[in-house]
Amino acid sequence: MASFRQLTIHFETSAQLPPPYSYQYELRLKPSFQFLHAQLKLSYTHREELDMDEIEAEGFTPNDDYEWEGNLEKVWRDEVEKLLNKTKVEKNKQPDEEADLLALAWESDQTIEGTPQNLEDWYYLAQELLQAIYETSGKERAFELHLLDITSQEVKESILTASFQTRTAQIKKISGGKSALRFYPWHELPHLMEVLYAPNWLSEGAHEQRPKRNGLYFSPGDGIWYEYGKQIVEPGKGAATLPKLKQFVNRLLS
């Protein structure tokens, strides 16, 4: 059985982040033998300062608040417990207005409250837990990246699927009409995301149909294809994100 009885994560975006983007949430977690029970209440803040047209112009809706209660897979209970066991907190820490706020409160042999010293680890795990909730509830689908490398000699194709619901990732490689499946290490996923989205992705000129011409193409699960070097470009002069992406992609296609 888990070493904690209940954990509450409270999160608020930085005071520097304006509406309609600013939000806060409270995530309550209770472990059991077979799963991790989760209760999420997320609300967007300071929207009373904006007109509805301004909110919708940024791609939001009149009400983007979200609540959910249900069970997450046991693997998430294990991950939370693992991080809790190496977490120490600072009580009454003064908030930094330029940083997001994250505080913990949990019950084990005693009640512990405060800001975790390993804050970055908790930022990341909290984001993973939110994504697991969105997938478990059906709000969002599992992450999928479709790669297509077309040359005059051959066509290489790989599909990476990462499920936050089950905390597993796999790669399906398709070549010559045959497919092979292998697991992808979950701990490498953050680096993949970092490399993948370091360049700029431009929707203008992207393909709505599966490409047939020579080139290296990416489709991030939305059915739209972006070509390397054309719709996936350097974010600025002197940047060198594309070679890193190419190197990473070659590993996924091999």
Side-chain angles (χ1 to χ4, degrees), residues 8-40:
T8 300
I9 302 173
H10 179 78
F11 176 88
E12 295 179 24
T13 52
S14 161
Q16 304 298 315
L17 186 68
Y21 301 97
S22 59
Y23 66 92
Q24 63 183 20
Y25 67 78
E26 183 176 272
L27 177 57
R28 294 185 178 185
L29 304 169
K30 289 184 179 181
S32 76
F33 181 71
Q34 293 182 317
F35 51 77
L36 179 67
H37 187 76
Q39 184 177 3
L40 172 67

Side-chain angles (χ1 to χ4, degrees), residues 177-206:
K178 296 181 179 180
S179 64
L181 198 64
R182 63 182 172 89
F183 284 103
Y184 185 79
W186 186 263
H187 68 270
E188 291 187 12
L189 204 60
H191 182 56
L192 181 146
M193 297 293 190
E194 181 183 341
V195 172
L196 183 63
Y197 292 110
N200 280 352
W201 290 55
L202 309 176
S203 57
E204 187 175 350

Side-chain angles (χ1 to χ4, degrees), residues 101-159:
L101 182 152
L102 187 146
L104 304 176
W106 77 89
E107 298 174 16
S108 52
D109 295 332
Q110 57 183 324
T111 300
I112 302 171
E113 299 180 10
T115 303
Q117 293 180 353
N118 50 346
L119 195 53
E120 291 301 320
D121 292 337
W122 279 102
Y123 279 144
Y124 189 75
L125 181 61
Q127 282 299 316
E128 284 198 322
L129 285 166
L130 285 189
Q131 196 60 39
I133 286 173
Y134 293 156
E135 289 182 19
T136 302
S137 67
K139 178 179 170 66
E140 294 185 7
R141 296 187 304 170
F143 172 80
E144 184 177 288
L145 176 66
H146 202 148
L147 302 172
L148 187 61
D149 188 15
I150 304 174
T151 66
S152 55
Q153 287 80 31
E154 61 179 339
V155 176
K156 292 182 180 179
E157 187 173 356
S158 288
I159 303 171

Side-chain angles (χ1 to χ4, degrees), residues 215-239:
L216 176 59
Y217 302 91
F218 298 68
S219 180
D222 58 359
I224 306 297
W225 294 88
Y226 300 79
E227 186 173 357
Y228 176 89
K230 292 186 178 180
Q231 290 87 44
I232 301 178
V233 298
E234 294 290 5
K237 190 175 181 180

